[in-house]
Amino acid sequence: MFPPELVALTRHDMVRALPPALFEQILTQHLYRYLDFTTKLELLVVNKTVLAIANGGVDLHLPDEMVFDAYKIYCDEAYHALFSADLIRQVHARTGLPPQLDERPYFLTQLRRLQESVEPQLRALVELLFVVCSETLISATLAEVPDDPRVDTAVRRSIRDHAADERRHHAYFAAFLKFLWYEMDSGQRRAMARLLPDLLLAFLRPDLPAIRCELAGYGFNRDQIEQILAEVYDDGTVNAYARDTSRQTMRYFAAVGVLEDQAACNRFAELGLLEEGR
Ligand SMILES: [Fe+2]
Ligand SMILES: [Fe+2]
């Protein structure tokens, strides 16, 4: 159901020692979480922004072509949500394994928390920039799963379709960032530059509450769960993953001048998002 190398939990010896059937369940639950994450991201966040762009709800001077493209992205994302929800149902029917999913995934809780942390008039901007992050990050899942012959064909083809669309969205949102950034005033730029590192991590950090619940279901006690999480998701590993995935996004940020703000630069460094020697 998923390549084990992309499911961090499977690196831990205590997890590897589980019976093979349970080990397979971990891969399936990871797939469910990934698909649910995709569905909620597209429906609740990305399409809200794209709808606003198409419908004149974003106060920017965008070329007509970019406004029109937003209609197309809206359809793409709606379809990604549909096939992800569909695939959860199909995998459930095939495996009999009920999906263990939270109402609200981690990224959404974090996004709302970061929006609350700024002045109300900046909250819409935070969401626009979160979409820029999510649309320009290059995840190993989109890049690697389509070509992994061990993975179920339906899963691979869905992710391949998604990756092809996201390459176009990536180009679109890299351009969108420039329009957005140049129309912001200096106060908005400063506030947003300092929030971007946390926005990236809101998207990239593992959903620990959900994984904790899952591990409890395999019979691990509380101490064992915390030990597994501490060893699998140590800061070095989480930061390296975030850095790899956000390399291209960081180039776009640097190009519009985000890193010229010293406080922003410090926050990127503190969260391990800058390349060595920067
Ligand atoms: Fe998508
Ligand atoms: Fe997209």
Side-chain angles (χ1 to χ4, degrees):
M1 288 298 172
F2 220 83
E5 298 78 16
L6 297 180
V7 183
L9 268 187
T10 64
R11 287 182 212 130
H12 200 279
D13 287 344
M14 281 156 69
V15 174
R16 285 181 174 277
L18 288 170
L22 278 186
F23 191 80
E24 192 55 42
Q25 275 190 29
I26 291 180
L27 303 181
T28 307
Q29 288 296 352
H30 184 90
L31 174 67
Y32 285 147
R33 255 197 317 276
Y34 171 73
L35 294 170
D36 184 58
F37 173 103
T38 302
T39 306
K40 296 206 162 90
L41 176 70
E42 312 292 37
L43 290 183
L44 302 177
V45 185
V46 182
N47 259 359
K48 231 176 97 198
T49 289
V50 178
L51 176 65
I53 297 172
N55 206 31
V58 173
D59 192 17
L60 290 176
H61 297 89
L62 295 173
D64 282 351
E65 279 304 310
M66 275 189 87
V67 174
F68 186 56
D69 280 342
Y71 287 78
K72 302 177 197 168
I73 299 176
Y74 187 76
C75 296
D76 288 348
E77 304 296 25
Y79 181 57
H80 302 159
L82 167 66
F83 71 52
S84 299
D86 184 19
L87 201 52
I88 291 178
R89 289 159 53 94
Q90 290 189 42
V91 173
H92 184 186
R94 169 77 70 89
T95 62
L97 179 70
Q100 229 186 307
L101 298 165
D102 281 349
E103 257 315 271
R104 194 180 232 212
Y106 176 80
F107 82 86
L108 204 50
T109 312
Q110 294 304 306
L111 170 60
R112 298 300 177 228
R113 183 183 63 79
L114 290 169
Q115 286 180 297
E116 295 290 314
S117 76
V118 298
E119 302 290 317
Q121 67 273 19
L122 291 174
R123 289 179 188 157
L125 265 182
V126 175
E127 192 145 337
L128 289 179
L129 284 162
F130 181 79
V131 172
V132 170
C133 294
S134 80
E135 293 292 299
T136 57
L137 293 168
I138 301 174
S139 76
T141 298
L142 282 184
E144 292 171 25
V145 174
D147 298 320
D148 192 323
R150 297 168 300 172
V151 178
D152 177 87
T153 314
V155 173
R156 285 168 56 189
R157 287 190 179 158
S158 305
I159 295 179
R160 178 176 296 144
D161 269 8
H162 196 170
D165 289 344
E166 289 308 332
R167 277 192 281 278
R168 283 182 281 109
H169 300 180
H170 181 119
Y172 180 93
F173 278 95
F176 180 83
L177 171 67
K178 292 188 198 159
F179 285 97
L180 177 62
W181 202 262
Y182 293 131
E183 290 199 32
M184 281 158 62
D185 64 38
S186 58
Q188 290 173 323
R189 284 187 198 163
R190 199 177 319 115
M192 291 304 106
R194 293 169 186 189
L195 206 67
L196 284 174
D198 291 271
L199 272 181
L200 279 174
L201 285 188
F203 190 90
L204 293 172
R205 277 207 174 123
D207 187 344
L208 293 184
I211 297 169
R212 241 179 224 118
C213 278
E214 186 192 342
L215 286 172
Y218 302 132
F220 292 114
N221 66 34
R222 197 180 294 183
D223 288 346
Q224 290 171 318
I225 291 172
E226 292 313 315
Q227 185 194 341
I228 294 172
L229 293 183
E231 290 171 7
V232 169
Y233 297 108
D234 62 287
D235 283 351
T237 308
V238 172
N239 291 351
Y241 170 75
R243 216 165 34 242
D244 286 348
T245 309
S246 62
R247 194 160 283 134
Q248 193 57 43
T249 307
M250 287 298 294
R251 289 193 191 110
Y252 302 138
F253 288 162
V256 294
V258 166
L259 297 177
E260 285 156 26
D261 183 280
Q262 194 52 50
C265 217
N266 294 345
R267 186 67 182 151
F268 276 107
E270 199 178 313
L271 295 179
L273 288 163
L274 295 185
E275 302 290 341
E276 295 288 316
R278 180 119 207 169

